[in-house]
Amino acid sequence: MLTLAVFISGGGTNLQAILNAIDAGVLDARVALVVSSNPDAYGLERAKAAGIPTLALSKEDYADPQAADARIVAALKSDGSAEPAIDYIVMAGYMRKVCEPLLAAYPNRIINIHPSLLPSFAGAHGIADAFSYGVKLTGVTVHFANEDYDKGAIIAQQSVVVAEDDTLESLEEKIHEVEYVLYPQVLQLLAEERIILADTGRVDIY
Ligand code: GRF
């Protein structure tokens, strides 16, 4: 079973999808901690409702991003109980870059979901940017995180067709529906140790 820490900044609907997949028995994992870069994130309520410990940092805490990440690492490791250590950090709408303290503590063990087909439309507005560009096909990417936004090795992608009658809102809905299925699936592949990051920087799935 995988032990996860889920990092959020907002609504936490992807966190909810992960928790639902665990409850449904299709994801062999537990969420040991939810970290939020925003103390007002609704996702924190979801964590509390599920009985999961939380750590919320404020904007002021991130004034020094290295110190903020060192604090997160300490919280992730400070468990002190007999529970297994965190296997993966799962960024789900986490609007902060992970930096050296986290990357060094969890090498190749931090993953992110992005609402476009990377490397197209990286950044904070992937869905809106793809929609206004006028692409006919966009999608969702799950990738390893590194020190650059949306740049790590790609684990999985799923396409979403932009229909002629799609609005930004309807496209957002389609993208999120794909996210809620794809992210738990990728986590289950990690649980089954079927995802290998090769030296070439490519990811192989067995
Ligand atoms: C998702 O679309 C995710 O791809 C992006 O931020 C959004 C998070 O939504 N990185 P939520 O907080 O999981 O509802």
Side-chain angles (χ1 to χ4, degrees), residues 10-15 92-93 113-115 176 179:
T13 59
N14 278 282
L15 165 66
I113 189 161
H114 183 77
H176 294 316
E179 289 185 322

Side-chain angles (χ1 to χ4, degrees), residues 94-174:
Y94 184 65
M95 301 303 280
R96 294 275 171 183
K97 241 188 224 184
V98 282
C99 47
E100 204 271 333
L102 270 167
L103 291 163
Y106 296 94
N108 300 328
R109 288 188 169 266
I110 307 178
I111 65 170
N112 184 40
I113 189 161
H114 183 77
S116 77
L117 292 177
L118 292 174
S120 292
F121 307 112
H125 309 288
I127 307 174
D129 290 346
F131 185 76
S132 52
Y133 193 96
V135 293
K136 304 296 185 190
L137 193 66
T138 181
V140 174
T141 302
V142 178
H143 63 93
F144 285 103
N146 60 21
E147 57 286 347
D148 298 313
Y149 278 121
D150 304 328
K151 281 264 176 71
I154 290 173
I155 301 171
Q157 291 187 302
Q158 192 165 324
S159 58
V160 171
V161 169
V162 185
E164 288 309 315
D165 60 354
D166 263 328
T167 60
L168 176 57
E169 291 67 35
S170 67
L171 181 61
E172 280 171 346
E173 233 171 84
K174 286 199 227 174

Side-chain angles (χ1 to χ4, degrees), residues 28-88:
D28 187 22
R30 63 183 270 271
V31 178
L33 183 70
V34 169
V35 175
S36 176
S37 68
N38 168 10
D40 300 321
Y42 182 69
L44 286 169
E45 302 303 319
R46 298 179 190 273
K48 284 172 195 153
I52 299 165
T54 60
L55 169 69
L57 283 82
S58 66
K59 215 169 148 195
E60 292 69 40
D61 292 323
Y62 286 96
D64 181 347
Q66 303 276 340
D69 275 11
R71 201 174 139 195
I72 294 171
V73 170
L76 292 170
K77 303 227 170 202
S78 75
D79 192 319
S81 67
E83 299 287 358
I86 303 292
D87 295 306
Y88 284 92

